[in-house]
Amino acid sequence: MSARKNARRRFLLSLGALAVAPAFPQSASPFGLGVASGYPTASGVVLWTRLVGASSLAPSEVAWEIASDESMKTIVRSGNTVTNSEWAHSVHIDAQGLEPDRWYWYRFTAGDAQSPIGRTRTAPDPASTPSRLRFGFASCQHYEQGFFHAYRHMVADDPELMVFLGDYIYESHWGRDLVRSHDSLEPYTLNDYRARYALYKSDPDLQAAHAACPWIVTWDDHEVDNDYADDLPEDGMDKVRFLQRRAAAYRAYYEHMPLPARMRPEGPDMRIYTTLDWGRLARFYTLDDRQYRSWHACPRTGRIGGSNTVDIEQCAQLFSSGRSMLGRAQERWLDGTFGASRAAWNVIAQQTPMAQFDQKPGPGRRAWTDGWDGYPAARQRLFDSIVSRKLSNPVVLGGDVHSFNVNQLKADFDNPESPIVASEFVGTSITSQAWAQERLNQYLPDNPHMLLVDSRYRGYVRVDVTPARWTADLRAMDSVQKRDAGCSTLATFVVENGKAGPQKA
């Protein structure tokens, strides 16, 4: 085994020890929320931390260092920054001048306190084609409903990148057999959201996963409010008050994520959609399907907003060509970036299942309006863009529904002979509870393009990408109510280069 692989193994073992240790008490360390990195390029990466426990509103100086070795003896980049209470003493360092396609280690210092050491890496050279990329993707981590130890297994997989697809926090209290508590009411103010993020980020398994490799992220609804659409919540709050709430939620999101400074919010607006290239092997498109979407079609009786499940014959609004999931500006941007891609694999990382899911056994069709089924014209425009741009090996990632789904994305879901436009992999939740499998089973005969639908397990998806093949392992937890629970592979699906659609391995 090479010296570099030995170093990586030792570091992963040290993260495992961190994950089983208690979280840092906020009074004991200003780095009690851990460290993180994200959005790697061939020459740089974003480094993050947030100081906690400060009793003063005064600015605080934080030093940062990046080393080429895990013992932090060979420092290759360093600097100082000043935090302030306006941004919750969060730190976002855009570290540049690094070598492509290699691992680095980093840490922060504030006064006499030193942070844990995090590991990160840069992306490959844009002109290169790496032989392999391993990444994991996850979503939906309700703090009360389970422990986050799926991340312990993700760290052991030694991924080069992590992709998070939304519902990093939950604003609401619900579920059965809860294992811990939010210990606070639903957040509405900036301080409320800051406290909720601090609670989630105190989890040692989540901290270890952030310290293991760079992340890219997008949000879904629960980072703000269940089933919101643009400026409309589900519960009837007026627009002005809701946008104040959204501004608080977006600000707290930025303060707690390894996001580049260009994503810093301005009031209730925050652009997070972007691309990330892994040489010419893969291009990731992280999308935002919450901030710009059209209001839900045909909401429930007595409500102005929020989702519904409707017979499509009784909701003409559903099919309006003017309705959008991404907003027209993001749609145009996505079409243009599709056209510019030279990647072998094009990975569309977004929040919710894209495949049609008929929830009415037998004749007719019922559609859930919060997912892409609620925006069929927008979905068709996206499919048309994939086809017209001749996008190489498009693969869609999704979350939201707390079940594993493996789907063929078809030009016409109602025609079994319709060509496959893209492959889709939907990960189950880290902890959030799901519909019973028996409820899902009754719908499967009406959805033959769905090759697997399984809500029995919490977990994540591990993906290995090579120029020739995409391999996705659906990783299922034995339990999320026991901290030492095991994890196994429920199923493996592959996509061959140049052949649309997933196949069972």
Side-chain angles (χ1 to χ4, degrees):
M1 185 178 290
S2 70
R4 181 173 290 183
K5 287 184 178 179
N6 267 323
R8 286 165 58 186
R9 177 176 172 80
R10 288 195 303 270
F11 185 77
L12 293 175
L13 289 173
S14 72
L15 289 180
L18 169 65
V20 298
F24 288 105
Q26 292 190 6
S27 60
S29 169
F31 300 106
L33 302 185
V35 299
S37 68
Y39 296 82
T41 66
S43 61
V45 68
V46 176
L47 306 180
W48 172 92
T49 192
R50 179 195 158 200
L51 304 184
V52 293
S55 58
S56 172
L57 297 180
S60 299
E61 184 169 316
V62 179
W64 58 272
E65 299 173 299
I66 299 177
S68 58
D69 61 305
E70 64 172 328
S71 59
M72 300 293 297
K73 291 181 179 178
T74 307
I75 304 298
V76 297
R77 288 289 182 274
S78 62
N80 293 275
T81 189
V82 176
T83 71
N84 58 63
S85 59
E86 181 183 2
W87 293 96
H89 292 282
S90 61
V91 177
H92 297 78
I93 302 297
D94 182 9
Q96 293 295 317
L98 304 177
E99 296 178 12
D101 198 21
R102 66 154 298 158
W103 290 99
Y104 289 95
W105 288 260
Y106 64 96
R107 68 186 174 197
F108 299 91
T109 303
D112 295 330
Q114 204 163 73
S115 75
I117 295 173
R119 185 182 72 156
T120 191
R121 64 164 295 127
T122 49
D125 185 280
S128 69
T129 301
S131 61
R132 193 201 77 161
L133 163 65
R134 169 169 286 188
F135 73 93
F137 71 89
S139 62
C140 304
Q141 50 188 33
H142 197 297
Y143 182 85
E144 298 180 316
Q145 293 179 11
F147 300 112
F148 293 167
H149 51 282
Y151 287 116
R152 198 177 311 164
H153 298 279
M154 295 177 79
V155 169
D157 293 338
D158 197 13
E160 297 165 272
L161 183 70
M162 206 82 81
V163 182
F164 194 84
L165 301 176
D167 294 344
Y168 191 94
I169 64 164
Y170 277 74
E171 87 293 9
S172 53
H173 166 87
W174 60 277
R176 60 192 181 279
D177 302 323
L178 304 181
V179 301
R180 48 190 180 178
S181 174
H182 284 149
D183 291 325
S184 61
L185 300 177
E186 185 166 331
Y188 286 89
T189 68
L190 178 56
N191 284 338
D192 292 343
Y193 281 105
R194 284 172 171 170
R196 185 60 54 90
Y197 275 99
L199 175 67
Y200 277 58
K201 294 189 80 71
S202 70
D203 184 276
D205 291 305
L206 181 56
Q207 286 192 15
H210 273 296
C213 68
W215 286 43
I216 57 176
V217 300
T218 189
W219 52 36
D220 197 14
D221 51 343
H222 291 289
E223 285 88 352
V224 181
D225 181 42
N226 182 58
D227 281 359
Y228 83 94
D230 189 7
D231 58 0
L232 184 69
E234 69 169 353
D235 59 6
M237 177 185 287
D238 70 76
K239 177 178 177 178
V240 171
R241 290 179 58 225
F242 178 70
L243 286 179
Q244 291 172 343
R245 182 183 188 183
R246 196 177 89 174
Y250 284 7
R251 190 183 190 92
Y253 185 83
Y254 176 79
E255 292 170 346
H256 291 85
M257 293 291 157
L259 297 168
R262 69 176 186 273
M263 293 185 182
R264 180 182 290 187
E266 296 183 4
D269 303 312
M270 181 175 170
R271 175 174 166 171
I272 62 169
Y273 63 86
T274 190
T275 60
L276 181 141
D277 288 327
W278 206 262
R280 291 200 171 189
L281 178 63
R283 168 171 282 188
F284 290 84
Y285 310 79
T286 53
L287 305 186
D288 176 0
D289 78 3
R290 281 291 163 190
Q291 186 174 182
Y292 314 107
R293 68 159 68 188
S294 303
W295 293 357
H296 293 91
C298 305
R300 299 175 193 177
T301 302
R303 283 189 177 178
I304 299 174
S307 69
N308 197 3
T309 303
V310 298
D311 283 283
I312 62 170
E313 297 85 356
Q314 299 174 14
C315 184
Q317 182 188 5
L318 201 69
F319 298 95
S320 170
S321 62
R323 303 185 70 252
S324 177
M325 186 75 146
L326 304 176
R328 289 307 181 101
Q330 188 177 185
E331 286 187 16
R332 289 191 295 271
W333 166 84
L334 185 59
D335 179 67
T337 53
F338 281 171
S341 176
R342 299 297 178 264
W345 298 87
N346 287 274
V347 188
I348 302 168
Q350 49 87 59
Q351 293 80 352
T352 195
M354 196 170 286
Q356 180 174 292
F357 183 41
D358 181 4
Q359 297 184 40
K360 184 176 185 178
R365 179 159 67 87
R366 285 178 64 80
W368 178 51
T369 61
D370 194 56
W372 283 91
D373 272 351
Y375 301 81
R379 177 172 58 196
Q380 191 60 55
R381 287 194 297 271
L382 194 155
F383 286 0
D384 291 345
S385 177
I386 289 173
V387 172
S388 67
R389 293 298 192 176
K390 297 181 173 59
L391 201 63
S392 174
N393 297 314
V395 180
V396 174
L397 309 182
D400 189 25
V401 293
H402 312 167
S403 65
F404 289 115
N405 293 5
V406 180
N407 306 319
Q408 301 167 335
L409 296 182
K410 295 203 161 196
D412 181 355
F413 290 107
D414 296 321
N415 177 6
E417 305 303 318
S418 180
I420 299 171
V421 172
S423 305
E424 180 175 39
F425 295 88
V426 177
T428 190
S429 57
I430 289 290
T431 60
S432 305
Q433 294 166 4
W435 285 2
Q437 184 65 33
E438 293 73 21
R439 181 177 179 180
L440 294 171
N441 287 343
Q442 64 180 317
Y443 306 133
L444 298 186
D446 294 277
N447 296 279
H449 52 277
M450 305 183 81
L451 307 184
L452 179 145
V453 179
D454 197 317
S455 67
R456 295 174 296 166
Y457 302 99
R458 316 281 63 78
Y460 63 98
V461 180
R462 178 179 64 204
V463 180
D464 285 304
V465 188
T466 70
R469 175 180 289 190
W470 168 290
T471 304
D473 298 317
L474 312 184
R475 301 283 289 158
M477 294 297 299
D478 295 341
S479 169
V480 293
Q481 297 185 323
K482 299 177 182 177
R483 288 187 180 273
D484 59 351
C487 186
S488 59
T489 298
L490 174 67
T492 298
F493 283 80
V494 300
V495 182
E496 302 289 348
N497 186 351
K499 185 178 180 180
Q503 304 289 328
K504 184 81 177 288

